[in-house]
């Protein structure tokens, strides 16, 4: 192996991607196969996005991941959009695959990544009554996946009502419709929805500071499965476990969406255990801080 692996993949996003766990995860996958390749971070301003995507067409790049704030803006910059899930309807692409002829395919692996993560934890969403906190890009992917997976009802609680209504409109138009409502987080409707819920998903950043919870903790009960999309244990998750509920942080979704991206780029099975271990080790090292 040469001393400098060739960059073949990377992450296009805003300046916050410097903390991404994706390089560790994908570099572990390349190492598993003995490929002398690596994954780079490409912080990109909106004005430079088109140029960044054009550059993917050339050379020996396999493709890229895309994260906030560019998941919607890349859609018109690629040649073909995935249909399962429907990237155009979702208006969010998190993976670009470069074909041999230089054409670019835009996929969304967040949706199946989320469902696979639930499956890995042994939770079957069919028939579930769901409370979804947040209505941003991640919440859209979660709602899309859950609606297609046959949940019974969905209550979307978001601090601003317009994005929650837009999410419901998306489901009405494109997804098998569960009973879906938008509720204000501070209204009594949240307590009723939580009383019925069997699945709670946190798709807001609240809890990233390891201090705050997105909902009052006394709404948690033992019949819940709590999926917090943050990549770490949070006050919400810890309180849920203390109350006898089951739960999962967002690392598994990250690993599963990354595994699907790797398979699309490399056309071979992702070494999921190695990828998970690398992401976990990097996360745990960062949480300890520099020594
Ligand atoms: P986004 O598009 O910016 O959406 C953020 C959502 O959180 C919006 O609904 C926003 O409400 C709400 N929100 C933000 N700050 C808030 C606050 N202080 N109080 C109440 N609500 C607040 O972000 P995203 O891409 O959906 O990501 C959301 C979270 O999921 C992030 O923590 C991200 O790290 C995580 N995530 C994890 C994975 C994974 O693989 N595990 C994948 C994607 C995202 P408004 O509509 O009112 O602004």
């Amino acid at each position: 192996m040469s001393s400098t692996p060739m960059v073949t993949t990377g992450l296009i996003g805003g300046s916050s991607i410097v903390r991404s766990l994706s390089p560790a995860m994908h570099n572990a996958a390349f190492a598993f196969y003995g490929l002398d390749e690596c994954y780079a971070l490409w912080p990109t301003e909106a004005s430079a996005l088109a140029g960044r995507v054009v550059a993917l067409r050339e050379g020996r790049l396999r493709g890229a991941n895309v994260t906030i704030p560019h998941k919607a803006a890349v859609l018109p910059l690629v040649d073909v959009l995935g249909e399962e899930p429907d990237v155009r309807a979702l208006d969010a692409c998190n993976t670009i695959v470069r074909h041999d002829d230089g054409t670019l395919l835009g996929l969304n692996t967040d949706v199946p990544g989320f469902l696979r993560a639930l499956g890995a934890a042994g939770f079957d969403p069919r028939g579930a009554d769901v409370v979804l906190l947040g209505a941003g890009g991640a919440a859209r992917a979660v709602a899309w996946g859950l609606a297609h997976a046959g949940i019974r009802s969905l209550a979307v609680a978001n601090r601003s009502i317009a994005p929650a209504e837009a999410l419901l409109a998306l489901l009405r138009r494109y997804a098998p419709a569960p009973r879906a409502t938008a509720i204000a987080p501070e209204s009594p409707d949240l307590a009723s929805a939580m009383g019925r819920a069997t699945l709670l998903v946190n798709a807001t950043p609240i809890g990233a500071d390891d201090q705050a919870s997105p909902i009052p903790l006394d709404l948690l009960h033992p019949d819940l499965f709590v999926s917090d999309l943050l990549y770490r244990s949070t006050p919400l998750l810890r309180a849920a476990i203390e109350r006898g509920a089951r739960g999962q942080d967002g690392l598994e979704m990250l690993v599963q969406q990354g595994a699907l991206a790797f398979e699309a780029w490399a056309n071979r099975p992702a070494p999921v255990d190695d990828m998970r271990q690398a992401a976990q080790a990097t996360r745990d090292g960062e949480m300890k801080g520099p020594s």
Side-chain angles (χ1 to χ4, degrees):
M1 243 186 223
S2 72
S3 56
T4 320
M6 183 172 62
V7 171
T8 55
T9 50
L11 176 60
I12 301 171
S15 53
S16 65
I17 62 173
V18 290
R19 290 189 299 276
S20 171
L21 303 177
S22 291
M25 192 165 71
H26 286 291
N27 290 338
F30 291 133
F32 176 89
Y33 282 111
L35 295 168
D36 198 14
E37 300 181 32
C38 68
Y39 183 101
L41 292 175
W42 293 319
T44 304
E45 300 278 339
S47 57
L49 182 63
R52 173 68 69 197
V53 175
V54 166
L56 292 177
R57 295 178 188 279
E58 294 150 14
R60 283 177 286 174
L61 293 172
R62 293 182 186 270
N65 285 131
V66 184
T67 189
I68 44 173
H70 301 314
K71 283 186 181 182
V74 294
L75 261 66
L77 303 175
V78 301
D79 305 301
V80 188
L81 293 172
E83 292 178 3
E84 197 54 56
D86 185 335
V87 174
R88 189 179 301 287
L90 265 167
D91 201 23
C93 160
N94 78 322
T95 300
I96 299 175
V97 181
R98 177 191 181 279
H99 290 142
D100 290 343
D101 62 359
T103 56
L104 301 179
L105 165 67
L107 300 175
N108 186 305
T109 67
D110 283 333
V111 173
F114 172 73
L115 293 176
R116 282 186 179 202
L118 280 187
F123 184 84
D124 180 353
R126 268 175 305 178
D129 292 305
V130 182
V131 172
L132 173 59
L133 308 173
R140 278 214 312 277
V142 164
W144 182 280
L146 289 174
H148 284 87
I151 58 169
R152 182 163 62 178
S153 71
L154 176 69
V156 181
N158 196 48
R159 65 176 171 185
S160 27
I161 200 75
E165 296 285 5
L167 194 160
L168 297 190
L170 174 78
L171 294 186
R172 275 194 296 272
R173 183 150 180 218
Y174 293 106
R179 260 189 294 129
T181 48
I183 54 182
E186 65 284 358
S187 83
D189 295 344
L190 178 63
S192 341
M194 281 297 297
R196 287 189 302 275
T198 50
L199 174 63
L200 170 68
V201 182
N202 177 32
T204 77
I206 303 172
D209 60 0
D210 204 26
Q211 303 289 324
S213 167
I215 55 162
L217 297 177
D218 59 7
L219 296 180
L220 297 169
H221 57 78
D223 298 331
L224 274 175
F225 186 91
V226 178
S227 163
D228 196 326
L229 300 197
L230 289 162
Y231 307 122
R232 51 173 297 157
S233 168
T234 59
L236 177 71
L237 268 180
R238 290 194 294 272
I241 305 297
E242 270 166 28
R243 284 163 174 75
R246 291 182 298 145
Q248 177 184 55
D249 69 36
L251 193 86
E252 189 63 22
M253 174 179 173
L254 178 83
V255 170
Q256 295 292 346
Q257 65 75 31
L260 289 161
F262 180 85
E263 287 174 357
W265 294 328
N267 206 18
R268 54 184 102 191
V272 181
D273 290 342
D274 288 46
M275 294 175 80
R276 183 184 301 110
Q277 210 171 27
Q280 230 159 18
T282 306
R283 174 196 66 182
D284 295 347
E286 280 172 7
M287 278 164 60
K288 262 193 247 132
S291 50

